[in-house]
Amino acid sequence: MAARIDFASLSLMDALDLAVLIEDEAKERYEEFAAQMDQHRTPDAAKFFRLMAVNEAKHGQELADRRSQLFGGVTPTVTRAMVFEVEAPDYDQARAFMSPRQAMKAALASEVKAHAFFVAALPSLKDAKVRALFEELRDEEVQHQALVKAELAKLPPDSGLSDDDFVDEPTAQ
Amino acid sequence: MRKDLVFGMAGSGGDGIVSAGDSLLQAASAEGYHGVMTKSFGSQIRGGESSCRVRISTDPVLNPGGNLDVAVALNWEDFLKFGAELPVAGTTVVIYEAATGVPENQIPLVGVTPLQVIAVPIAAMAKETAGTERAKNTVVLGLIAGWFGIGGEAVMKGISKKLAKKSQELVEANQKAFDAGVAFAKSHPLKADMTVVPSSSKGAVKLLTDGNDMCAAAALFAGCQFFGGYPITPSTEIMQFFTNHVWKYGGAVLQAEDEIAGIGAAVGASFAGKKSMTATSGPGLSLKSEMMGLASIAELPLVIVDVQRGGPSTGLPTKTEQSDLFAAAFSAHGDVIRPVLAPTSVADMFRTTVEAFNIAEYYQTPVIILSDQEIASRKETLDPIDTSTFKIINRLVPAGADLQDYKRFKQTENHISPISHPGMLGGTYLASGIEHVESGAPTNSGSVHQRMNDKRIKKLDPLKERKDLFEITGNPDAPLALVAWGSVAGVCREALQMAQAEGLDVKLMVPYLLYPVAEQTYRDFFASVQKGLVVEQSHLAQTFKVLRMHLDLPKGLQSLARSGANPFLPGEIVAALHHLLSELQRSHEGKLQPQE
Amino acid sequence: MSATMTTPGEFQAKDYKSDLKPIWCPGCGDYSVVQGIYRALAAVGRPPHEVAFISGIGCSSRIPGYTTAYGFNTVHGRALPIAQGIKLANPDLLVLAAGGDGDGFSIGGGHIAHLIRRNIDITYIVMDNQIYGLTKGQLSPTSQKGRTTCTSPYGSLENPVNPLLYVLAYGAGFVAQASPTDLAGMAATLEEAIRYPGFAFVNVQSPCVTYGEEAQQIKGLKAISESLSAIGHDPADRLAAMDLAQHYGEKLHLGVFYKNPEPPPTYDALIRERQAQLSQGALPKERILDLFIKK
Ligand SMILES: Cc1ncc(C[n+]2csc(CCOP(=O)(O)OP(=O)(O)O)c2C)c(N)n1
Ligand code: SF4
Ligand SMILES: [Mg+2]
């Protein structure tokens, strides 16, 4: 649970490590979703989730590079256990037969969630550099949202029909 | 023009191909055709491969058919997974999704050259007309209406009825997709005319249901007032039907904590005087065996439905097999005979279930109905059943003199003793699984045990005289024969017709009573037989072995047996008969020629 | 990319992940449970081949196949009896058992009491989704009263089982709850359960997206979840644990309800003791027939 982070005492190195972990988690979740979509013959959504995974990875790599320039190989003190689904979509955001639109909406919701995380953390931050980093990350989330929204806008208009009216019922075993 | 068409369609669960099959069958039935639909699935809960087979005919349909007349593949990967379940032959028209990118001369079906192969941009048409690729199944229905003349109006009528409550927009989207399918078909005529002859019985009332619902409805008709069970595929719908309806007849249903408790509650309800039932599939039948023994020794009426699936253990939960005969007849320890009945179709599930209750109540015994996944889940159109022609038998209850010094297990001429139930004045007794004397008091006397076993086994002897539990068709003196039960019987009925049309002298026996084995009925049937086949979906050939255990079979009688989920085709059975005939002729020639 | 960030130790979560593709519906909570298990196993650090993972039948019971441990997908409701046999046959193994609410509390309900009273060192994980997933949405023993399902079309008339109170009442030494609303917490709780020497039970609220009710999805669960450590619950206090456990269904308490501060010896340990004791002075095997020599 994110609550385990003590924001007041967060150093810049910790904050960078934390940011890398957040991107990392999101990347893994998107990869997992893409695999779920593959397994359930929903290739368009799989493609989109894979794209998201690549984006998160790219962003994570940038942050990791910054971290190693500044702090080299110093052992990190924050752990994966401290972050949970900051930017990764909740597990139940995946759905059978997701359309690209639904997939994008799930991603958008996660970007909104991540934005809210950084906004909520800001008041408790003491270190000015950390604060600057968090502001930067917060603003990036806004950019990400804009990117996903742009992708959404490219889609043909929604038919407004629910898939449940067409697909087969689940299979009993 | 055709009188009979077999469609086989496959896609992923998201393609809604099974819903399309449902709509097609409903429409066909509204247009007065006869039909059967079976479904088969992969192992994912959602989005795995799914397929259905729909057979539509102007005449009553005996089975889901052999080779496909029309194959619909929304993608090849899914279609191929069904292998022998969806056999394509030289007479098949293959329709597939153009977006698969497979050229028409390179479809991945080895060893066959279909009659015609047509790639249709199904997804693109759906997208263009309905605004969503999901409407692919509606496009397919339009193609079928256009090419084969089924469901032109009725399909959309059915869909509109289903969707009107949701939104008019949805109905219109579907209509557009459907019309596009029809238009494509009209502008790309088939090489051969494959439209179906209009049905003469258009407008006649038809029933449309599956084996599980039919079984539950028949049970309620027979007076069943209690169901105890535990969910298990492919039997669960029987319990579901009860949960919806049994209350209306003053009865009750319990979804118990497991199968043992489920049958236990049913045994209790029967002891309490109510007709009762449980239903399960293989793994559950294994669990129920101890309770089945209890019902036998306590002489309590009970109907147990076993909807067979591939076994052992979890096996193939969504596929059919006939491998529970041994378990049905022989599971539970001790010397005991338990009647086993098997329906062959949805239509005769009604009669079989009513019969099971009648036998259970009359003979005070558990009775097993061996249904199977195919019958349980296949939908059939049926002519209405006149229920007034069915007799309902209730258990013999003690009255008057019986209740003076009442003896629950009294020896009688036909070994059947009047049975009281709690609440009946003067009828108190101890029911038990321990051996008991006539009053019900426990005993460990060997002589009583011998006598009581005698009573419990002999009381069932008259069942073996029941000729009406066997269907024999074909020339009674034929030298060639087929024996088959359950869903395989339908395939053999069709094989019989085909073989006769090809001049073979052959007959068919379909037993509805599998156990106890009616020795004399089989002996009479086999009297003329020189060569024959017992056809079954059981790797061990359980039927063949049970018959051999009880009687001397004709030397030329062979077993045609294989594991479930590998359906028999009428054509292959006819081919096997031809082979038998040539063997027979050779052996006759052999006799005429002098030995060297 | 961030190799430095993963759990220190010889094994990483990915070492416990198999190549089998889950059959679960996209979005099913069980995907998160298997992730939690990978992480917990990595933290404990036992090599996959020393782990035996046993399940019953259900959607959730497919889980052992998605790990690289020795898995056994048994029959419905019988994961525990089989798991206990494995543990007794080889107490050195780390034995996990898992299944659904139906598997555990309906058909298999009778077994739980006996594993608890024997205190066999097994970690039992129930993926509680208040429904029968695999058979398409029938009433489960943990479904709320009044719930409509395909076997309760007019609403259920039965009260649900309370899995937490159930195991607490029988005297389980470790009782906890987790959910995908907090995956890190789930991994930590599972790790603690595995490390506990004795029978450990973890109820995981794992939403069924296909048949579950809206309130049981992650959003609904988040709204009612509360961390036991955050409210200052002392896991050594069994009565307080029982008190909190009463709110199963209305509140989602996450973390450890009860952990016996002085774990009694496990059955498997006692058996070893007995084996050691009795083997002293025993006749050598090859002279076993000497037992029949009339004195
Ligand atoms: C003896 C037996 N009875 C019934 C079944 C059918 N069955 C399979 S899974 C299941 C229940 C599934 O519910 P749960 O245990 O809660 O697991 P979930 O699918 O929800 O994860 C049932 C009734 C079976 N496989 N074996
Ligand atoms: S039916 Fe429910 S429990 Fe089963 S895989 Fe789907 S979401 Fe999960
Ligand atoms: Mg469940």
Side-chain angles (χ1 to χ4, degrees):
Chain A
M1 199 174 293
R4 274 175 230 165
I5 306 167
D6 179 8
F7 289 108
S9 65
L10 213 58
S11 69
L12 183 60
M13 183 183 86
D14 291 344
L16 276 167
D17 283 339
L18 206 59
V20 172
L21 286 172
I22 287 172
E23 299 296 335
D24 219 25
E25 187 198 37
K27 175 202 131 214
E28 278 176 19
R29 186 66 47 85
Y30 282 122
E31 279 172 349
E32 217 184 307
F33 276 16
Q36 290 184 21
M37 295 301 135
D38 282 344
Q39 173 70 358
H40 294 85
R41 323 280 172 79
T42 317
D44 293 340
K47 208 162 108 194
F48 173 73
F49 285 136
R50 217 153 259 133
L51 181 80
M52 287 304 291
V54 170
N55 283 344
E56 303 291 354
K58 228 189 281 165
H59 196 207
Q61 192 58 52
E62 283 162 24
L63 290 162
D65 291 347
R66 243 158 100 180
R67 195 263 190 209
S68 60
Q69 271 165 24
L70 290 173
F71 304 102
V74 183
T75 317
T77 62
V78 296
T79 68
R80 182 73 178 254
M82 291 180 180
V83 290
F84 188 64
E85 291 181 338
V86 174
E87 197 168 348
D90 284 347
Y91 262 104
D92 65 354
Q93 291 291 306
R95 278 293 191 283
F97 318 126
M98 279 182 117
S99 63
R101 178 180 303 276
Q102 288 167 320
M104 288 179 197
K105 284 195 169 153
L108 188 60
S110 310
E111 301 294 348
V112 171
K113 194 169 64 166
H115 181 259
F117 170 84
F118 293 117
V119 170
L122 276 171
S124 6
L125 298 174
K126 295 272 181 326
D127 185 318
K129 282 189 192 140
V130 173
R131 172 181 281 275
L133 176 67
F134 267 49
E135 279 168 355
E136 177 194 328
L137 293 169
R138 175 198 62 191
D139 296 342
E140 269 169 15
E141 296 306 336
V142 179
Q143 282 173 26
H144 293 174
Q145 287 173 34
L147 284 178
V148 178
K149 278 185 191 151
E151 286 291 317
L152 262 171
K154 279 190 225 155
L155 288 178
D158 189 358
S159 68
L161 304 176
S162 153
D163 289 347
D164 287 343
D165 296 318
F166 296 96
V167 302
D168 283 342
E169 273 186 38
T171 314
Q173 298 287 322
Chain B
M1 282 210 156
R2 297 295 195 89
K3 296 184 72 179
D4 188 297
L5 275 180
V6 180
F7 296 86
M9 319 198 264
S12 95
D15 295 331
I17 205 71
V18 175
S19 332
D22 269 323
S23 302
L24 178 62
L25 184 65
Q26 266 174 37
S29 118
E31 289 175 348
Y33 295 104
H34 295 266
V36 168
M37 166 169 173
T38 58
K39 314 169 190 178
S40 180
F41 304 98
S43 63
Q44 279 108 320
I45 316 280
R46 306 213 75 175
E49 64 275 13
S50 46
S51 74
C52 65
R53 204 179 221 290
V54 182
R55 180 172 188 184
I56 285 162
S57 174
T58 51
D59 299 325
V61 179
L62 303 175
N63 63 63
N67 290 331
L68 303 180
D69 296 307
V70 183
V72 180
L74 289 182
N75 73 66
W76 285 110
E77 188 192 338
D78 289 323
F79 189 91
L80 295 174
K81 283 213 172 97
F82 292 99
E85 295 178 67
L86 299 176
V88 171
T91 51
T92 311
V93 172
V94 176
I95 300 164
Y96 71 100
E97 169 62 74
T100 53
V102 177
E104 285 180 4
N105 58 357
Q106 283 175 32
I107 58 167
L109 293 170
V110 271
V112 280
T113 313
L115 186 63
Q116 191 171 356
V117 178
I118 314 164
V120 184
I122 300 173
M125 285 160 67
K127 183 98 196 192
E128 195 185 302
T129 52
T132 166
E133 283 191 11
R134 291 276 175 248
K136 279 190 283 197
N137 47 5
T138 314
V139 174
V140 169
L141 288 166
L143 292 171
I144 290 175
W147 273 319
F148 309 103
I150 307 164
E153 284 160 34
V155 162
M156 275 316 297
K157 229 191 230 163
I159 292 185
S160 312
K161 215 158 111 197
K162 198 168 92 188
L163 298 179
K165 274 181 242 119
K166 292 202 169 155
S167 81
Q168 194 50 37
E169 202 190 332
L170 194 55
V171 175
E172 280 159 21
N174 271 288
Q175 182 73 55
K176 280 190 218 147
F178 184 80
D179 292 345
V182 176
F184 184 96
K186 296 282 181 223
S187 58
H188 299 76
L190 297 181
K191 283 187 207 156
D193 176 13
M194 287 179 72
T195 47
V196 178
V197 179
S199 164
S200 54
S201 57
K202 187 165 177 167
V205 181
K206 283 249 166 10
L207 313 181
L208 179 61
T209 189
D210 61 32
N212 275 344
D213 281 358
M214 181 60 101
C215 177
L220 287 175
F221 168 76
C224 178
Q225 287 214 296
F226 186 84
F227 182 99
Y230 190 71
I232 184 165
T233 306
S235 78
T236 313
E237 292 79 11
I238 298 178
M239 175 161 69
Q240 284 168 199
F241 192 96
F242 271 91
T243 61
N244 271 308
H245 302 291
V246 71
W247 319 102
K248 302 172 189 167
Y249 309 97
V253 46
L254 178 75
Q255 179 188 328
E257 59 272 28
D258 60 24
E259 281 84 353
I260 301 173
I263 187 176
V267 167
S270 179
F271 174 68
K274 297 276 163 39
K275 290 188 186 181
S276 75
M277 179 180 204
T278 186
T280 190
S281 184
L285 187 70
S286 300
L287 282 180
K288 288 180 194 291
S289 55
E290 187 186 14
M291 287 280 182
M292 296 195 299
L294 174 64
S296 284
I297 195 168
E299 300 194 49
L300 290 170
L302 179 65
V303 174
I304 300 145
V305 186
D306 174 32
V307 184
Q308 298 170 97
R309 65 190 212 184
S313 195
T314 304
L316 299 178
T318 56
K319 310 264 173 171
T320 198
E321 193 163 87
Q322 297 184 302
S323 55
D324 290 357
L325 177 60
F326 286 174
F330 307 129
S331 65
H333 61 281
D335 286 326
V336 63
I337 286 179
R338 201 168 33 235
V340 179
L341 300 177
T344 69
S345 65
V346 177
D348 62 34
M349 175 62 96
F350 185 85
R351 141 178 182 213
T352 310
T353 305
V354 173
E355 189 63 66
F357 275 96
N358 285 348
I359 293 173
E361 291 287 316
Y362 182 81
Y363 294 103
Q364 299 176 24
T365 175
V367 174
I368 292 191
I369 298 176
L370 269 189
S371 175
D372 61 45
Q373 187 271 345
E374 185 191 309
I375 294 174
S377 64
R378 88 182 192 195
K379 283 217 170 94
E380 275 178 30
T381 57
L382 316 166
D383 289 325
I385 295 172
D386 179 4
T387 55
S388 71
T389 60
F390 287 84
K391 205 168 114 203
I392 301 271
I393 297 176
N394 294 313
R395 59 187 80 178
L396 181 67
V397 289
D402 294 331
L403 287 168
Q404 313 293 314
D405 187 26
Y406 174 62
K407 285 204 174 65
R408 163 67 185 97
F409 302 100
K410 192 165 101 185
Q411 288 289 358
T412 62
E413 208 151 297
N414 62 1
H415 310 288
I416 292 163
S417 333
I419 175 172
S420 64
H421 56 77
M424 188 178 270
L425 189 66
T428 54
Y429 76 102
L430 174 72
S432 65
I434 197 167
E435 190 55 280
H436 35 250
V437 299
E438 288 185 47
S439 71
T443 179
N444 57 8
S445 144
S447 61
V448 175
H449 183 44
Q450 172 73 21
R451 260 203 328 274
M452 283 296 180
N453 266 341
D454 230 32
K455 167 185 194 298
R456 290 188 292 261
I457 290 167
K458 282 208 178 119
K459 73 178 177 182
L460 297 168
D461 277 347
L463 265 184
K464 300 195 204 171
E465 312 301 321
R466 291 273 308 268
K467 304 278 186 242
D468 61 323
L469 297 177
F470 294 82
E471 168 194 298
I472 294 172
T473 40
N475 171 19
D477 299 322
L480 290 176
L482 294 170
V483 179
W485 58 278
S487 55
V488 174
V491 180
C492 287
R493 287 188 186 117
E494 182 151 354
L496 179 80
Q497 288 181 359
M498 288 164 62
Q500 286 172 331
E502 292 174 22
L504 291 180
D505 191 8
V506 52
K507 60 180 176 175
L508 164 68
M509 172 190 261
V510 175
Y512 287 87
L513 175 71
L514 296 176
Y515 210 79
V517 172
E519 289 102 348
Q520 196 50 48
T521 305
Y522 285 99
R523 273 188 211 112
D524 294 347
F525 176 79
F526 287 138
S528 70
V529 175
Q530 298 177 40
K531 289 272 179 189
L533 294 170
V534 179
V535 189
E536 57 184 317
Q537 274 195 15
S538 150
H539 196 285
L540 279 183
Q542 296 188 10
T543 315
F544 189 78
K545 287 182 179 148
V546 167
L547 290 179
R548 202 164 60 185
M549 174 177 155
H550 282 270
L551 42 130
D552 294 326
L553 300 177
K555 278 221 178 53
L557 191 71
Q558 299 173 15
S559 163
L560 179 58
R562 61 175 174 240
S563 298
N566 297 288
F568 289 104
L569 303 180
E572 78 171 292
I573 293 170
V574 175
L577 285 171
H578 276 295
H579 183 73
L580 288 186
L581 183 66
S582 61
E583 273 183 12
L584 196 59
Q585 284 161 348
R586 236 179 294 132
S587 70
H588 286 321
E589 285 161 15
K591 264 186 213 134
L592 294 177
Q593 277 157 18
Q595 296 282 315
E596 290 188 6
Chain C
M1 149 195 352
S2 50
T4 49
M5 308 300 173
T6 44
T7 323
E10 206 182 328
F11 292 98
Q12 298 180 2
K14 66 174 170 41
D15 297 324
Y16 297 90
K17 181 174 186 299
S18 78
D19 294 334
L20 272 190
K21 299 261 186 295
I23 62 145
W24 295 320
C25 306
C28 177
D30 296 347
Y31 282 104
S32 72
V33 183
V34 74
Q35 291 293 338
I37 290 173
Y38 297 150
R39 293 198 199 176
L41 285 173
V44 172
R46 286 289 290 273
H49 73 274
E50 289 178 20
V51 179
F53 196 172
I54 324 303
S55 67
I57 294 282
C59 296
S60 43
S61 289
R62 294 280 185 134
I63 202 163
Y66 308 139
T67 72
T68 49
Y70 276 97
F72 193 172
N73 187 187
T74 69
V75 293
H76 195 30
R78 314 300 166 196
L80 288 181
I82 291 171
Q84 77 182 336
I86 293 169
K87 185 69 184 177
L88 298 186
N90 183 358
D92 292 336
L93 295 173
L94 191 170
V95 181
L96 297 179
D101 39 322
D103 196 70
F105 287 96
S106 195
I107 188 164
H111 299 301
I112 296 177
H114 303 287
L115 267 89
I116 291 176
R117 93 193 154 74
R118 294 182 192 120
N119 192 29
I120 296 180
D121 187 10
I122 285 175
T123 300
Y124 182 38
I125 302 159
V126 167
M127 282 159 262
D128 183 4
N129 55 11
Q130 285 94 10
I131 199 78
Y132 282 13
L134 191 69
T135 45
K136 292 202 357 177
Q138 294 82 20
L139 197 69
S140 116
T142 57
S143 301
Q144 288 302 311
K145 188 170 183 171
R147 169 108 186 244
T148 54
T149 68
C150 59
T151 50
S152 57
Y154 305 108
S156 143
L157 301 172
E158 304 171 16
N159 289 308
V161 163
N162 180 326
L164 300 163
L165 272 181
Y166 193 110
V167 293
L168 279 166
Y170 280 122
F174 185 98
V175 180
Q177 186 159 256
S179 104
T181 57
D182 175 8
L183 184 55
M186 186 198 299
T189 304
L190 290 172
E191 178 189 344
E192 203 173 342
I194 293 171
R195 290 189 192 277
Y196 177 79
F199 186 84
F201 171 75
V202 184
N203 198 58
V204 185
Q205 288 298 325
S206 175
C208 170
V209 289
T210 300
Y211 300 106
E213 292 185 317
E214 205 44 48
Q216 291 153 352
Q217 305 304 317
I218 290 186
K219 199 162 158 218
L221 293 180
K222 275 186 179 158
I224 58 165
S225 77
E226 192 165 58
S227 147
L228 287 169
S229 60
I231 60 171
H233 170 62
D234 172 12
D237 187 343
R238 183 157 172 257
L239 288 180
M242 292 183 98
D243 211 22
L244 285 163
Q246 295 191 57
H247 301 291
Y248 168 83
E250 56 196 61
K251 269 224 140 333
L252 178 62
H253 287 119
L254 297 177
V256 182
F257 279 84
Y258 178 63
K259 181 177 178 181
N260 190 336
E262 286 159 19
T266 61
Y267 191 77
D268 20 304
L270 293 174
I271 283 189
R272 287 198 153 168
E273 252 173 52
R274 181 162 296 175
Q275 287 164 344
Q277 255 170 26
L278 296 180
S279 62
Q280 287 176 14
L283 271 177
K285 258 206 305 267
E286 49 286 6
R287 284 182 42 215
I288 186 83
L289 294 182
D290 290 5
L291 287 173
F292 307 138
I293 297 173
K294 283 231 173 71
K295 292 269 155 62

